[in-house]
Amino acid sequence: MLGLNYIKELFSNLLFRGDNYLVIEILNHYIQATVIKANLKDKKIRIIRNLIAPVGELSPPVVLFELKQLLKKIGKIEKYGIILSLDSCFSSTTYASASLVRQHPKDAVDEADLDNLISQAIWRFFDKNRYKVAQKLNIDEVDVLLSNVQIRGIKIDGHKIVNPMGFKAKTVEVFFSQTLVGREFMGGLRDLIPKEKITLITEAGTAMSHIMSRALGKEDFFVANLFPNHTAFFSSSSGRLAHHDNFDWGEKDINGSLAGHFCVDTDVAGLIMQKYATNCASQNFTRRFENVLGKELQIFANGLESLIDDDSADIYLNPFF
């Protein structure tokens, strides 16, 4: 679970749309549906209901089938504003900016000019990144769809302005987040969820990195989401946030290593890990256990180091186990 703070941030700019929301998280090993009651006046969020379904295979047919079963338990989803937080294998969200040179810098920016500039920024970035996203999602380039855009700010000649209309400017820089999703998966979602009720679609790890950037007041860092089978790595650098890479290491590697060393099955190894984590083991066993655990965690550290060039970079770990 990504936690209440994560869910609160997703609503920060959306509360005016209504009070009732359904947050659907489709991540590496589970689907989670959370019904939220948002009070705009008091700036409070109350979790009404939470349902979780494990997922053994992250293929669109399997995920969409499990999601359909979960939504049946929720009931009439038409009464909710719906937020979709997706795994990196289904979506790609990038927080970035695009700078454009105006053809007539002596003319004041009007609404039509601003709309045109924003459209140019969005589509230029989409065309530039579509091939890379297609490779990440393992689909054809023509099947990459622009599913969500959020405009987050405007700069006029390098100065941040709330409302740029009426100003003269040589350059306009548009700050935005852009989410791309595969055609097949998006089509399956629309069969289950009313299109007009979807308030936001985002890649979970990138959204979390954005939240951390704001909370920490930092721009340069990495976030590692640790799942059962792999680690998803996200980067924040100079205002640009995006998925960086994955590598094969997760909870099953820890349990597998412990199972081999102590000659037990992986379920028992997981229980041993829980005992250690809650300080329910003798000192002699703890020392022996940490020796084994340390060797496995060194493999994990080597995986992290292989993805970054700066040894001094801050890395924040978010284990889902």
Side-chain angles (χ1 to χ4, degrees), residues 57-118:
E57 179 185 344
L58 272 184
S59 66
V62 171
V63 168
L64 292 170
F65 174 79
E66 294 294 344
L67 176 60
K68 183 178 181 179
Q69 303 310 307
L70 199 63
L71 292 179
K72 287 180 180 178
K73 299 178 182 178
I74 296 294
K76 296 181 179 180
I77 63 173
E78 295 83 3
K79 62 183 180 180
Y80 302 109
I82 297 174
I83 289 179
L84 291 166
S85 180
L86 304 178
D87 191 85
S88 298
C89 70
F90 294 125
S91 65
S92 181
T93 298
T94 303
Y95 288 72
S97 66
S99 186
L100 301 165
V101 178
R102 297 182 68 222
Q103 292 183 348
H104 305 288
K106 293 183 179 181
D107 294 342
V109 176
D110 58 20
E111 186 173 353
D113 188 24
L114 184 61
D115 286 345
N116 180 55
L117 290 167
I118 290 174

Side-chain angles (χ1 to χ4, degrees), residues 113-160:
D113 188 24
L114 184 61
D115 286 345
N116 180 55
L117 290 167
I118 290 174
S119 295
Q120 286 187 56
I122 291 169
W123 287 107
R124 284 186 185 181
F125 191 81
F126 172 70
D127 285 337
K128 181 180 178 181
N129 288 275
R130 182 166 49 182
Y131 176 71
K132 182 179 179 181
V133 171
Q135 290 183 309
K136 174 193 170 189
L137 301 182
N138 195 29
I139 58 178
D140 292 333
E141 191 174 351
V142 294
D143 290 326
V144 176
L145 302 181
L146 178 60
S147 62
N148 194 268
V149 174
Q150 300 281 321
I151 304 302
R152 303 190 172 273
I154 302 285
K155 277 187 178 181
I156 299 290
D157 291 337
H159 301 285
K160 193 170 184 179

Side-chain angles (χ1 to χ4, degrees), residues 265-286:
D265 61 33
T266 53
D267 290 338
V268 173
L271 294 174
I272 294 174
M273 185 69 184
Q274 290 180 21
K275 292 291 185 181
Y276 168 76
T278 54
N279 294 318
C280 295
S282 67
Q283 291 185 356
N284 288 337
F285 178 81
T286 296

Side-chain angles (χ1 to χ4, degrees), residues 88 132 135-136 203 206 222-225 227 230-235 242-248 303-304 306-308:
S88 298
K132 182 179 179 181
Q135 290 183 309
K136 174 193 170 189
E203 181 182 10
T206 308
F222 294 94
V223 175
N225 283 344
F227 293 114
H230 76 276
T231 294
F233 210 48
F234 299 84
S235 65
H243 177 263
H244 186 75
D245 208 340
N246 294 337
F247 66 94
D248 295 330
L304 292 179
S306 70
L307 299 181
I308 59 176

